[in-house]
């Protein structure tokens, strides 16, 4: 099925991401609850934060959620709470956002990069097994683009190797593998609520979900200057300041009630994209049969990316690249082991992220797919 493009559609612009319709849906509810907070002045902690933590844990299927300042801190503090530090190695995928590896270095440990599967661009149990050394203490699995890898096999491998399994679920709010949600497989599931994520705050925010009560208690202490024991000036350990504030918690509670519907809308857009693409024009990242992704990003692999990207831009279609430099090649991570990741390196030259957001219309998806197909059919053979 090839869509017919009329003149109006061709001249309209398609943004990469449009948050405003989501903001509009929750505007009145949030305004009302923010007004209450302004009157009481309870900006840090309090009932709004506790309520969101309970809701988020229930949604993810874990006993607890600990709100923190952002997704990077969720990862970094989880590793510290697990006792990971200098001399330890943590396996991370070569294909991820830098924050995954940053968190490992911030905890004082070394990242060990592992290559990804060429279809899904996610880590595999085999890759983790091959990368582990006697110094490896943990693996951070990244549910990149909103899709979980085979978590049954990865969890079994991590268990056999004696590695802590941590999930970087910053792009996977609500994704599942089997009957379980992102964040509930590992000892710690780390989320970012950066505004552009599937569940996004109105600023920076994050959370760790866990069913390990001891780990949750350590995280609550670490996020709050190492406080423990109840006294305001009782500091049991070196902590930091990384708290989820009440204004953001209110936003997240309101948006959480719409998350499933918004994720479903993303899935419908992606199903249409996949139906419309000509096979030689764009290959959507492989969808693994064991889970249900939430499509944080719509990523295709294309033969002539710079040509296509320029043509799309000229016709008003915004695109992105996630990520132009594979993580292990980024400047801060020179010198860490496991720098050979040919699949991630090759993918970095061919991946293109297309517009995707819950309120994207079928006409917009058709317009983007139509442009991709028609530009590709006119591409020079390189
Ligand atoms: C966004 C993101 C993070 C970091 O989250 P922040 O809230 O920006 O600190 C970590 N990992 C991945 C995969 C992300 O996409």
């Amino acid at each position: 099925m090839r869509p017919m493009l009329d003149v109006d559609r061709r001249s309209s612009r398609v943004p990469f991401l449009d948050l405003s319709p989501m903001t509009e849906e929750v505007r009145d509810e949030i305004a009302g609850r923010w007004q209450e907070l302004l009157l009481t002045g309870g900006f840090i902690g309090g009932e709004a934060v506790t309520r969101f933590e309970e809701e988020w844990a229930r949604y993810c299927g874990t006993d607890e959620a600990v709100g923190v300042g952002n997704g990077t801190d969720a990862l970094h503090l989880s590793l510290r709470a697990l006792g990971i530090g200098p001399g330890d190695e943590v396996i991370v995928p070569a294909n991820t956002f830098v924050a995954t590896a940053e968190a490992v270095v911030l905890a004082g440990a070394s990242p060990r990069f592992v290559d990804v599967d060429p279809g899904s661009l996610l880590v595999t149990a085999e890759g983790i097994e091959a990368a582990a050394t006697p110094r490896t203490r943990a693996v951070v699995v990244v549910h990149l683009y909103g899709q979980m890898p085979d978590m049954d096999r990865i969890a079994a491998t991590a268990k056999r190797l004696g590695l802590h399994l941590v999930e970087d679920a910053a792009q996977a709010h609500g994704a599942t593998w089997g009957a379980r949600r992102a964040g509930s497989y590992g000892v710690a599931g780390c989320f970012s609520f950066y505004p552009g994520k599937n569940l996004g705050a109105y600023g920076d925010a994050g959370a760790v979900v866990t069913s390990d009560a001891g780990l949750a208690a350590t995280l609550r202490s670490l996020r709050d200057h190492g406080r423990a024991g109840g006294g305001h000036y009782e500091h049991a350990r070196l902590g930091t300041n990384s708290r989820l504030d009440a204004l953001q918690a209110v936003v997240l509670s309101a948006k959480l009630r719409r998350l499933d519907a918004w994720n479903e809308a993303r899935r419908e857009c992606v199903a249409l994209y996949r139906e419309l693409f000509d096979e030689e024009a764009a290959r959507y990242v492989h969808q693994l049969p064991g889970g249900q992704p939430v499509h944080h990003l719509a990523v295709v692999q294309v033969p002539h990316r710079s040509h296509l990207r320029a043509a799309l831009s000229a016709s008003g279609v915004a695109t992105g690249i996630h990520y132009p430099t594979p993580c292990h090649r980024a400047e801060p991570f020179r010198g860490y082991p496991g720098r050979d990741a040919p699949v991630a390196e090759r993918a970095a030259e061919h991946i293109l992220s297309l517009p995707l957001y819950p309120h994207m219309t079928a006409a917009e998806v058709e317009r983007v797919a139509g442009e991709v197909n028609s530009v590709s059919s006119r591409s020079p053979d390189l």
Side-chain angles (χ1 to χ4, degrees):
M1 175 168 91
R2 183 66 81 78
M4 296 296 292
L5 298 176
D6 61 40
V7 175
D8 275 3
R9 278 188 211 165
R10 268 190 181 281
S11 59
S12 64
R13 307 189 73 78
V14 184
F16 183 66
L17 172 64
D18 183 4
L19 298 175
S20 52
M22 288 188 273
T23 307
E24 199 51 49
E25 276 190 41
V26 290
R27 178 194 300 280
D28 291 344
E29 181 179 344
I30 290 170
R33 295 190 60 199
W34 274 11
Q35 190 58 37
E36 292 166 25
L37 282 173
L38 296 185
L39 293 173
T40 60
F43 299 122
I44 299 287
E47 184 264 329
V49 172
T50 310
R51 183 193 305 179
F52 173 70
E53 287 179 335
E54 285 167 7
E55 291 169 349
W56 187 236
R58 196 177 323 128
Y59 180 84
C60 294
T62 58
D63 291 348
E64 299 197 51
V66 180
V68 294
N70 55 69
T72 309
D73 283 352
L75 288 160
H76 160 215
L77 297 180
S78 292
L79 294 171
R80 278 188 56 197
L82 290 167
I84 288 162
D88 296 333
E89 268 179 15
V90 178
I91 293 174
V92 298
N95 184 35
T96 186
F97 180 55
V98 286
T100 318
E102 271 172 357
V104 174
V105 177
L106 287 171
S110 292
R112 176 169 281 274
F113 293 99
V114 56
D115 209 357
V116 291
D117 167 69
S120 65
L121 304 180
L122 303 175
V123 288
T124 61
E126 294 78 19
I128 291 165
E129 173 125 43
T133 75
R135 287 173 60 201
T136 310
R137 297 272 320 280
V139 51
V140 183
V141 170
V142 184
H143 307 319
L144 203 67
Y145 313 141
Q147 178 169 224
M148 298 172 75
D150 186 334
M151 291 305 286
D152 294 312
R153 297 198 51 220
I154 287 174
T157 299
K159 189 170 181 195
R160 184 158 40 75
L161 298 175
L163 306 180
H164 294 298
L165 176 59
V166 174
E167 296 176 65
D168 179 342
Q171 300 190 359
H173 313 73
T176 56
W177 182 265
R180 290 165 70 174
R181 281 203 202 276
S184 69
Y185 262 91
V187 63
C190 304
F191 289 91
S192 164
F193 304 118
Y194 176 80
K197 308 288 187 184
N198 289 38
L199 180 61
Y202 290 174
D204 281 310
V208 182
V209 295
T210 184
S211 294
D212 180 324
L215 190 74
T218 306
L219 285 164
R220 287 183 202 285
S221 173
L222 284 172
R223 74 174 173 183
D224 191 25
H225 303 295
R227 287 192 172 103
H232 196 64
Y233 296 108
E234 277 178 60
H235 307 281
R237 53 176 64 77
L238 180 75
T240 184
N241 178 0
S242 184
R243 297 172 299 223
L244 173 63
D245 71 67
L247 293 169
Q248 301 305 341
V250 161
V251 173
L252 293 168
S253 284
K255 289 178 125 186
L256 175 54
R257 283 191 280 287
R258 282 126 176 126
L259 178 62
D260 285 340
W262 289 341
N263 281 341
E264 190 51 36
R266 288 172 184 268
R267 285 188 198 108
E268 282 167 21
C269 290
V270 169
L272 187 55
Y273 264 140
R274 293 177 72 202
E275 179 187 324
L276 296 173
F277 290 136
D278 289 341
E279 210 172 304
E280 63 280 12
R283 240 178 334 116
Y284 202 88
V285 288
H286 181 61
Q287 306 292 286
L288 300 169
Q292 197 176 31
V294 292
H295 304 292
H296 175 59
L297 294 166
V299 177
V300 290
Q301 300 200 61
V302 296
H304 311 299
R305 184 178 63 193
S306 55
H307 176 75
L308 173 60
R309 199 167 188 223
L312 288 173
S313 169
S315 79
V317 174
T319 59
I321 298 174
H322 300 85
Y323 296 89
T325 305
C327 192
H328 66 298
R329 293 279 182 203
E331 192 58 38
F333 306 114
R334 286 182 184 285
Y336 290 108
R339 297 183 46 73
D340 190 29
V343 175
E345 279 158 34
R346 200 179 137 66
E349 289 168 18
H350 293 281
I351 44 176
L352 184 67
S353 306
L354 298 172
L356 181 65
Y357 39 91
H359 295 76
M360 193 175 181
T361 63
E364 287 171 321
V365 174
E366 285 171 10
R367 161 140 146 68
V368 175
E371 292 287 349
V372 169
N373 289 340
S374 83
V375 172
S376 302
S377 68
R378 289 181 274 113
S379 282
D381 273 329
L382 298 177

